[in-house]
Amino acid sequence: MDQILQELKQSALAELETISDPESLEALRVAYLGRKGRLTLLIRSIKELPVEDRPRMGKATNQLKIELQKRFDGILSSLQSRDAERKAKEEAIDVTLPGISFLRGRKHPVAATLDEIIEVFSGLGFKLESGPEIETEYYNFDALNMPSDHPARDMQDTLYLKGGSLLRTHTSPVQIRTMEKTQPPLRMICAGKAFRADTADASHSPMFHQLEGLMVDRRVTLADLKGILTEFAHQIFGRNTRLRFRPSFFPFTEPSAEVDISCVVCGGEGCPLCSRRGWLEILGAGMVDPEVFKAVGYDPEKYTGFAFGMGIERIAMLKYGINDIRLFYENDLRFLHQF
Ligand code: DAH
């Protein structure tokens, strides 16, 4: 039995030499020290030895067991630390390497201007509504008191679709859609695309964006309109901006006005941007025509209201000093990167 014990020890130590990973180390441990391992079986067989040999063999096998146990543990921890070292090396970050750069997107200047304007009117209690870009003649014209002989319906302005629908020529139809589903008091804005059969030039585009506003309540007056638009102009163009209302005409408002702001470049002195007039037109507005209220079933004796509509591109051009509307749609990154 002494000899078997010696052999077992030699072979265990020899095999341990060849181990290079924790999995085969574990397999080897089981082969010697596991429940059916070679050393375990040897220890179990001691009870078959003559009584006088048993204590000595017991001691010898036990010593070997402890020794092997120690070796296994030692090798395991050195394998583990070698593994950890390799992993750390593999995963190390070289901070001196150049990074992978991403082309970062940003808001289009029209979208940025729109968001800013929406923010202003939200702060004044106006709720954001929306409506379809493909409209009926009723919503785009009739309900807005634009009769069938109105020049805006002309084929030159309006893009008609097969079946009589059309691309909305302004965002005003959303006024009608909102009033049809809401009772006063009401304060709404809406924004989106509008389409006209215009040839593109520095100030025209067949597709452009508008923002529309409407407030209806008892005793809403022109003074409310002026107050709201003044606050809007102050927030968008600066607190020194002055407002001017020029009498005008829109079928859906009475009275109507074109609203100008003092020139963003010269402040009113007169310069090339404002054609020496000192003023820049920014929007159309007025008190809602009673005919419009009748179309949506509001009582014009009970309610009054104001409405306004502006071109987003126009506001963005004034804000950023852009002189050609076509730049917004060309997708030229050299232009877009500047905002
Ligand atoms: N819808 C008009 C246009 O496209 C702009 C406008 C003017 C809207 C006066 C209004 C308004 O709501 O009251 O030219």
Side-chain angles (χ1 to χ4, degrees):
M1 180 139 183
D2 279 319
Q3 204 188 337
I4 297 175
L5 194 61
Q6 264 322 304
E7 270 171 26
L8 196 146
K9 181 175 175 176
Q10 294 312 326
S11 78
L13 292 180
E15 283 189 73
L16 267 176
E17 290 294 314
T18 68
I19 292 298
S20 62
D21 60 279
E23 291 74 32
S24 34
L25 182 72
E26 174 60 12
L28 192 62
R29 193 191 61 76
V30 172
Y32 282 93
L33 303 174
R35 280 203 308 126
K36 289 184 182 148
R38 291 175 62 187
L39 184 59
T40 315
L41 294 179
L42 193 66
I43 291 171
R44 257 186 236 149
S45 69
I46 288 175
K47 59 178 184 291
E48 276 134 43
L49 291 177
V51 182
E52 61 274 20
D53 291 341
R54 288 183 201 169
R56 193 174 53 82
M57 281 316 289
K59 201 172 165 194
T61 50
N62 209 33
Q63 259 168 7
L64 180 59
K65 186 179 171 180
I66 291 167
E67 187 184 338
L68 287 182
Q69 196 75 59
K70 262 193 198 148
R71 296 252 177 162
F72 276 104
D73 290 348
I75 291 174
L76 182 63
S77 72
S78 75
L79 282 179
Q80 278 170 342
S81 63
R82 196 195 58 190
D83 238 34
E85 242 169 66
R86 185 176 44 82
K87 227 175 157 188
K89 245 187 222 148
E90 275 171 12
E91 290 174 3
I93 296 167
D94 181 351
V95 292
T96 65
L97 282 173
I100 303 162
S101 58
F102 295 94
L103 205 55
R104 278 188 66 183
R106 64 187 74 200
K107 261 189 211 167
H108 190 281
V110 171
T113 305
L114 183 54
D115 286 354
E116 219 180 301
I117 299 173
I118 289 173
E119 186 76 20
V120 171
F121 284 108
S122 302
L124 294 167
F126 286 74
K127 186 166 167 255
L128 187 61
E129 298 283 351
S130 66
E133 289 171 2
I134 295 176
E135 265 300 1
T136 61
E137 287 200 57
Y138 177 75
Y139 283 108
N140 197 82
F141 295 126
D142 298 273
L144 288 161
N145 195 30
M146 292 167 99
S148 50
D149 58 355
H150 194 279
R153 294 194 177 204
D154 199 284
M155 284 304 279
Q156 311 218 323
D157 288 318
T158 308
L159 295 159
Y160 287 93
L161 302 171
K162 281 199 188 111
S165 52
L166 48 87
L167 295 180
R168 66 181 179 193
T169 59
H170 50 180
T171 45
S172 305
V174 187
Q175 287 188 32
I176 304 299
R177 291 183 177 275
T178 307
M179 286 191 280
E180 278 182 350
K181 60 172 192 182
T182 324
Q183 284 304 307
L186 125 87
R187 260 185 268 188
M188 60 78 77
I189 48 169
C190 76
K193 295 184 174 70
F195 307 84
R196 288 182 200 173
D198 275 336
T199 306
D201 62 23
S203 55
H204 293 84
S205 161
M207 185 283 302
F208 58 102
H209 297 80
Q210 285 194 330
L211 182 127
E212 190 85 16
L214 171 71
M215 175 171 173
V216 183
D217 202 346
R218 290 169 195 264
R219 289 184 293 278
V220 173
T221 70
L222 201 62
D224 296 309
L225 172 62
K226 233 178 154 172
I228 292 285
L229 290 182
T230 302
E231 182 55 26
F232 153 74
H234 282 180
Q235 286 197 39
I236 297 294
F237 295 107
R239 291 275 156 200
N240 293 328
T241 310
R242 285 169 295 128
L243 241 62
R244 178 172 84 168
F245 284 62
R246 268 183 299 114
S248 184
F249 174 79
F250 297 104
F252 33 90
T253 46
E254 183 60 35
S256 305
E258 312 245 25
V259 178
D260 301 340
I261 53 167
S262 48
C263 179
V264 291
V265 170
C266 64
E269 298 283 303
C271 72
L273 177 67
C274 58
S275 310
R276 320 232 153 266
R277 291 192 196 104
W279 297 96
L280 298 164
E281 185 189 321
I282 56 158
L283 57 85
M287 302 306 292
V288 179
D289 194 292
E291 290 302 316
V292 174
F293 282 152
K294 280 185 209 157
V296 297
Y298 283 7
D299 181 355
E301 295 300 322
K302 201 161 147 192
Y303 297 111
T304 55
F306 64 72
F308 57 87
M310 66 184 86
I312 311 296
E313 282 84 346
R314 169 112 181 116
I315 306 287
M317 287 166 83
L318 294 175
K319 248 184 101 65
Y320 296 115
I322 296 162
N323 58 13
D324 194 321
I325 195 172
R326 289 168 293 196
L327 286 165
F328 289 129
Y329 316 117
E330 286 166 352
N331 227 11
D332 185 337
L333 293 183
R334 290 169 306 176
F335 169 74
L336 295 174
H337 267 300
Q338 298 174 54
F339 305 98

